[in-house]
Amino acid sequence: MPLTGQAARALTELRARIFTGRLRAGDRLAEIPLAEALGMSRTPIRLALSALQSEGLAVPAPGGGFAVRAFTVREVDDAVALRGQLEGMAARLVAEHGVSRGLSRRLHEALDQGDAALARGVLDEEALDAYGAMNTALHAAIAEAAGNAPLSRAIAAVEALPFASASALVPSPGSAPQRHRLLTFAHQQHHLLVEALEAGQGTRAEALAREHADNARRNLRLILDSGEAEGLAALIALNDVPA
């Protein structure tokens, strides 16, 4: 279930600090200092740290608690590409099985929520939280409706890798207009994907799901090229892995 309220904001902020290098590989993630730094209680921090672990961004630290996990851009890029292949298969299966009324309702509710989140044209915390929750719900609905347990487990395993999850959004205030345009394009792909699912177009739905993941990979590259992802750049240098 997606985090909400302060827990969701804490998760987004911690992702951003890892992505930009304010929190680096090996840094300890302690509840009390983080709660003080983010101006909130320990409970949302605890929930956010648990979510970071499930996303592959944090690992258990000696003596308890968590630490930032080391990873590279290549690892993120490969994981997102694999997620695209798996979600493409899920989309094809859903289209071939047929979209039930219940699934159609869930998908259109998600589309409407995404439209509303982007409608103001400002990608603030509220909009990003709403878009992230919508994105998680839509992708999860399609994976569940595929009716393939091994495939669902494979998607869950890939989403446990750093920044590979469909919900792993990172705020980027320095390029907010550009990020808004990128998310708007991504959400247009959501609309096209749902259209293909409901039309029973399995091949088209699969291609759209894969292209959707490729778009996420391009977005990552744009952020890297803008110089905002100092943390990832440092990890690339540290591990000598080409981007």
Side-chain angles (χ1 to χ4, degrees):
M1 179 179 295
L3 298 183
T4 59
Q6 286 193 327
R9 287 190 285 276
L11 176 59
T12 300
E13 177 60 26
L14 290 175
R15 281 198 203 113
R17 292 187 181 204
I18 292 171
F19 199 75
T20 58
R22 293 175 66 186
L23 288 170
R24 295 179 176 272
D27 283 354
R28 194 172 185 85
L29 299 168
E31 287 182 15
I32 294 177
L34 288 174
E36 293 175 350
L38 299 183
M40 57 183 67
S41 69
R42 293 173 61 182
T43 298
I45 297 298
R46 188 177 303 116
L47 293 171
L49 290 177
S50 179
L52 280 181
Q53 182 184 26
S54 70
E55 293 178 2
L57 291 174
V59 293
F66 298 97
V68 178
R69 175 189 167 185
F71 59 93
T72 66
V73 169
R74 177 62 180 271
E75 183 179 2
V76 176
D77 191 70
D78 287 348
V80 176
L82 178 55
R83 176 169 63 80
Q85 296 296 312
L86 295 172
E87 290 188 334
M89 179 179 176
R92 176 172 56 78
L93 290 174
V94 172
E96 291 176 351
H97 294 162
V99 176
S100 67
R101 289 184 179 179
L103 176 59
S104 179
R105 182 170 59 254
R106 288 177 66 187
L107 294 175
H108 282 278
E109 285 176 353
L111 292 179
D112 290 345
Q113 290 166 5
D115 291 341
L118 297 171
R120 291 190 295 119
V122 178
L123 201 60
D124 55 15
E125 285 187 357
E126 182 180 352
L128 197 65
D129 287 350
Y131 187 91
M134 173 282 304
N135 204 38
T136 299
L138 188 143
H139 283 257
I142 295 172
E144 292 168 12
N148 187 308
L151 177 59
S152 293
R153 288 195 294 270
I155 293 174
V158 170
E159 289 187 333
L161 299 174
F163 291 103
S165 171
S167 62
L169 302 176
V170 180
S172 182
S175 58
Q178 181 188 44
R179 294 302 307 283
H180 186 274
R181 287 194 295 272
L182 293 173
L183 283 186
T184 298
F185 178 73
H187 195 50
Q188 289 172 343
Q189 291 182 316
H190 287 153
H191 278 273
L192 292 174
L193 176 56
V194 171
E195 178 184 283
L197 293 174
E198 294 187 322
Q201 299 169 336
T203 300
R204 179 169 177 249
E206 182 173 15
L208 284 167
R210 292 180 176 182
E211 174 61 26
H212 188 56
D214 285 341
N215 182 55
R217 296 168 68 195
R218 286 193 295 272
N219 291 352
L220 172 64
R221 295 293 176 181
L222 287 172
I223 296 172
L224 284 170
D225 292 343
S226 73
E228 295 171 30
E230 296 177 5
L232 288 180
L235 285 167
I236 293 169
L238 176 66
N239 292 280
D240 194 28
V241 177

